[in-house]
Amino acid sequence: MSSIKEALEQGQGILRLAPTWVPRSFCVPGRRIKLHPDDYYVLGGVRGGIDERWLSSTTPAENGPLTGENEGLSMIVHNDEKISLKDAIDEVGAEIIGERLWNEYKAWPMYSKFFDNMGPLPHHIHHNDEKAALVGQNGKPEAYYFPPQLNNHGGDFPYTFFGITPGTTKEQIKECLMNFTKGDNKITNYSAAQRLEPGTGWFVPPGVLHAPGSLCTYEPQKASDIFAMYQSLVNEVIVPEELLWKGTPEDRKGDYDELVSVIDWDLNTDPNIIEKFFMLPKPVKAVSEMEAEGYRENWICYKSEDFSAKELTVLPGQTVTIKDSAAYGCIVMQGHGKMGVWDIETPALIRYGQLTNDEFFITEKAAKEGVVISNPSNTDPIVILKHFGPKNPDLAP
């Protein structure tokens, strides 16, 4: 029997994952993702600080020539062995993600992450499928949810710029891009910032300019790491020009009209951008009915066909069976107890390389049969974030 088959059998369809840490050279860690204070720069100053933890990822990080082997890839923990989730899905496919996703994608086509930056990110953009295909990648929609458990402080700038102010012209944006190497190109003069609130979220389609704020963010997204930075100075830090052209084909670098063409102009200038992109949690069914069964569950990311996410709360002293129609990854945010055969717990502090009992991947079969979660505490709820792949059958259109 192969190791992955043994792992599936041992976990009864629930795979335990090791933490996956990712540095970013252009970021300053917000220090809210439970990594030990000595370990945020453990990979060396040239790599930058660790300000991301990737969840249920089969997507390699795109971090330039110094990118580490397997950087960004989630690892299944099986006895003393680690198996990449990507290799496992390549090997047994539908046994993990189900026939529906395997037949259409032959892969796990999303991942999630914690993004934890002390300051705001530059105004940037993710390419759509058509543009991303020019450099051999997938387009990237993403979503944000701001977990209360990871936001004891808001960082330097808990506001996110979205889109382009209606009335702005393409020539004005092009001029900002042409001024990228001249200091502050002032592109956010043509955008509006929204205040970020823990317990809420946003959807960001490809082609929409956005400058994420400094709350610690849970980000389900399509399996891609494509982006381009359109703002040259943020939080008094100069953005390297190479990041302006990241995601641009070699033969089109230097073409500012190409950069403008990546922008979905109608979406960016929509005056109803809050209505279109803002997400309040939505109960999956009547709250009274769920609480009578010992839990609460909300949709927290639900405006994309490419992924979705839920927040599950198991009330103190309760044992529940939770059924879903699709495979999913999950991360335990609060509390401790049992999930299937596994002990689950929320660590307070994690050393780089240390294993935890807070991250898992649930196969489609196990999800459909129902996952039994027991909360032995008489005070503390168990809170779990769950990230799903495309076209979740449980998410009503």
Side-chain angles (χ1 to χ4, degrees):
M1 185 184 293
S2 73
S3 293
I4 185 56
K5 297 257 191 183
E6 289 178 0
L8 285 167
E9 189 174 291
Q10 177 192 32
Q12 297 180 9
I14 301 177
L15 299 167
R16 179 187 174 204
L17 303 181
T20 301
W21 307 105
V22 175
R24 295 295 195 188
S25 60
F26 49 82
C27 293
V28 176
R31 299 175 181 265
R32 290 163 295 194
I33 51 176
K34 304 180 182 177
L35 194 57
H36 189 282
D38 291 345
D39 291 351
Y40 281 102
Y41 292 91
V42 71
L43 297 174
V46 69
R47 297 301 318 279
I50 294 172
D51 68 343
E52 298 186 4
R53 178 178 174 182
W54 288 21
L55 309 168
S56 302
S57 171
T58 59
T59 303
E62 295 282 343
N63 264 341
L66 296 178
T67 304
E69 184 182 5
N70 296 324
E71 195 160 288
L73 296 178
S74 291
M75 294 289 169
I76 298 165
V77 179
H78 173 56
N79 299 330
D80 295 328
E81 186 180 5
K82 287 185 182 176
I83 310 157
S84 84
L85 180 62
K86 181 182 187 306
D87 288 347
I89 291 172
D90 287 346
E91 180 182 330
V92 299
E95 287 188 50
I96 296 177
I97 62 174
E99 295 283 353
R100 178 180 64 87
L101 290 179
W102 180 252
N103 290 341
E104 183 165 353
Y105 299 97
K106 295 291 188 287
W108 176 242
M110 67 86 64
Y111 67 106
S112 193
K113 69 165 72 164
F114 291 134
F115 167 72
D116 172 40
N117 205 45
M118 182 62 76
L121 275 189
H123 217 27
H124 70 276
I125 200 162
H126 301 293
H127 305 60
N128 63 21
D129 283 335
E130 180 186 355
K131 291 291 186 182
L134 299 176
V135 291
Q137 292 203 55
N138 293 317
K140 181 173 164 177
E142 64 185 17
Y144 306 154
Y145 176 71
F146 310 113
Q149 296 87 353
L150 298 184
N151 280 294
N152 57 311
H153 68 85
D156 293 343
F157 191 77
Y159 304 83
T160 290
F161 288 94
F162 288 103
I164 297 169
T165 307
T168 303
T169 68
K170 292 184 179 181
E171 284 304 313
Q172 287 173 307
I173 297 300
K174 181 180 175 182
E175 183 180 4
C176 289
L177 299 176
M178 293 177 72
N179 288 336
F180 195 89
T181 59
K182 299 176 183 176
D184 185 359
N185 68 348
K186 300 182 179 179
I187 193 169
T188 51
N189 286 5
Y190 300 104
S191 187
Q194 307 295 332
R195 180 176 175 177
L196 306 179
E197 294 283 350
T200 70
W202 293 82
F203 173 51
V204 185
V208 171
L209 279 162
H210 55 291
S214 56
L215 284 192
C216 187
T217 309
Y218 169 73
E219 292 189 14
Q221 55 204 269
K222 192 170 175 179
S224 173
D225 198 22
I226 194 167
F227 66 89
M229 297 295 187
Y230 281 17
Q231 183 179 359
S232 60
L233 178 74
V234 65
N235 233 26
E236 304 308 316
V237 176
I238 291 289
V239 179
E241 187 187 10
E242 66 195 63
L243 296 181
L244 172 66
W245 300 103
K246 189 171 168 60
T248 302
E250 286 296 329
D251 62 347
R252 301 189 190 181
K253 288 183 177 177
D255 181 351
Y256 293 93
D257 289 319
E258 174 63 23
L259 297 179
V260 173
S261 76
V262 174
I263 301 170
D264 185 322
W265 202 259
D266 290 339
L267 272 182
N268 277 273
T269 57
D270 192 320
N272 297 318
I273 207 162
I274 297 175
E275 179 187 341
K276 286 210 166 166
F277 299 155
F278 183 63
M279 293 182 292
L280 286 170
K282 295 195 324 187
V284 301
K285 61 182 183 181
V287 173
S288 59
E289 184 181 338
M290 290 188 287
E291 289 184 342
E293 296 174 17
Y295 73 99
R296 290 188 297 269
E297 191 167 44
N298 291 317
W299 291 106
I300 53 173
C301 298
Y302 47 80
K303 291 196 171 187
S304 174
E305 277 200 343
D306 292 297
F307 52 80
S308 56
K310 292 178 178 180
E311 180 184 64
L312 169 67
T313 300
V314 180
L315 301 176
Q318 300 295 313
T319 294
V320 300
T321 300
I322 304 295
K323 294 185 178 182
D324 287 280
S325 299
Y328 60 93
C330 67
I331 179 78
V332 184
M333 302 299 296
Q334 185 175 340
H336 72 283
K338 294 280 288 189
M339 181 168 66
V341 301
W342 296 105
D343 292 322
I344 60 173
E345 59 195 10
T346 310
L349 197 64
I350 310 169
R351 294 304 306 241
Y352 184 85
Q354 177 186 338
L355 297 179
T356 57
N357 292 317
D358 66 343
E359 187 183 354
F360 299 87
F361 194 95
I362 286 75
T363 63
E364 184 186 82
K365 182 173 184 290
K368 286 182 172 179
E369 290 175 352
V371 176
V372 179
I373 304 172
S374 297
N375 184 355
S377 174
N378 61 8
T379 57
D380 200 19
I382 292 173
V383 180
I384 300 173
L385 301 182
K386 302 160 60 173
H387 24 279
F388 298 84
K391 301 172 187 171
N392 189 332
D394 294 328
L395 185 58

